[in-house]
Amino acid sequence: MKTKLTLITIFAAMVFVIALFIGPKPISPFNLGEMGKDIIFSIRLPRVLVSILMGMALGASGAVLQGILRNPLADPYILGISSGAALAAAFGIITGLSLFGIVTIPLLAFIGALITGVFVGAMGWKRGGFWPDRLLLAGVGLGFLFSAMLMLLMSISSDEGLRRATLWIFGDLSIADWSIIPYGSVFIAAGLVVAMARAKALNALVLGDDLAHSLGFSPRKERFILFVSVGLMTAASVALGGMIGFIGLLIPHIGRFLVGSDNKVLIPVSAIGGGVLLCIADLIGKSIVSPMELPAGIITAILGAPYFLFLLRRKDVLSI
């Protein structure tokens, strides 16, 4: 296990370094020059950090969500939080709101995600606790509703507003900026710490409510705490760079394949794996059709879907 974790960490560090120096304009780390330093520290480093933070949030959220819902197909988007964030962000983009400068759109996305999370939580709450089935259905229902409202908003928008909103929906990391990183980092770190602290309880929830109760955990209380951690991480991720699909679904399955189902190990491995995948996807998206860029969400889907189908054929991957 230690060898696997060491290899995963080394691979993640290599991807981080490669993403800094390889891109539409490769830069030598041994001969930066003034222009190279400016590109690295003003453009690439914040963008790489944002992609890693978003990927970590989505990967860890997927692992937690699949555990608390006991559903191997659950991911952060199934709760509708991303749809709510996208609707709020698209409204800000299309109407041209700029009340808080560059952080206006991320702030709107965060508020939209939090409000949606509260709605989903309220609808999934019954008799003093979260009910997995109610939570799941509430998320799916609100997700469809917000997606329909988003399509309506986009259908009546101008061409420029439509283009910018479309880029946001598919994960536009070109907006990455130092100013938004501290805000996202705080919420993602808080959610990750809570999820890690309740990893033993999550292991018990996966085995069933009766067994979790017999081991001394309150299933309703633990689901509430873990749901809050997922909400914080997902909202912060969408606020940082838009909607990125597939990471929360795919990465936890790969993590279980590599290190097993113990959430004390699976959650951090899923976080690292999510950061690595999104960093690679963004690197490909900004390099493959340079000087144009492809949204990272499109790349994660193109990379992730075939590999997920490959795993599905080889292993009993749909188990938690």
Side-chain angles (χ1 to χ4, degrees), residues 33 39 47 53 70 97 106 113 121 131 134 150 167 174 194 263 287 297 299:
I39 292 174
R47 183 164 180 161
L53 285 170
R70 293 204 297 272
L97 286 178
W131 291 53
R134 290 175 64 91
L150 180 60
L167 287 174
S174 64
V194 171
N263 282 290
S287 304
I299 305 299

Side-chain angles (χ1 to χ4, degrees), residues 201-281:
L202 185 57
N203 285 340
L205 287 176
V206 171
L207 298 174
D209 286 8
D210 291 340
L211 189 53
H213 190 73
S214 68
L215 292 173
F217 298 105
S218 168
R220 294 174 182 179
K221 177 184 172 185
E222 299 300 341
R223 280 200 178 87
F224 175 78
I225 295 172
L226 289 164
F227 177 73
V228 170
S229 77
V230 169
L232 286 174
M233 289 190 285
T234 304
S237 171
V238 179
L240 280 173
M243 296 174 66
I244 303 287
F246 231 88
I247 290 178
L249 172 65
L250 176 67
I251 290 297
H253 289 293
I254 297 176
R256 289 188 195 93
F257 177 71
L258 293 174
V259 299
S261 299
D262 184 352
N263 282 290
K264 287 188 294 183
V265 181
L266 179 62
I267 291 174
V269 166
S270 296
I272 294 172
V276 168
L277 178 57
L278 187 52
C279 197
I280 293 173

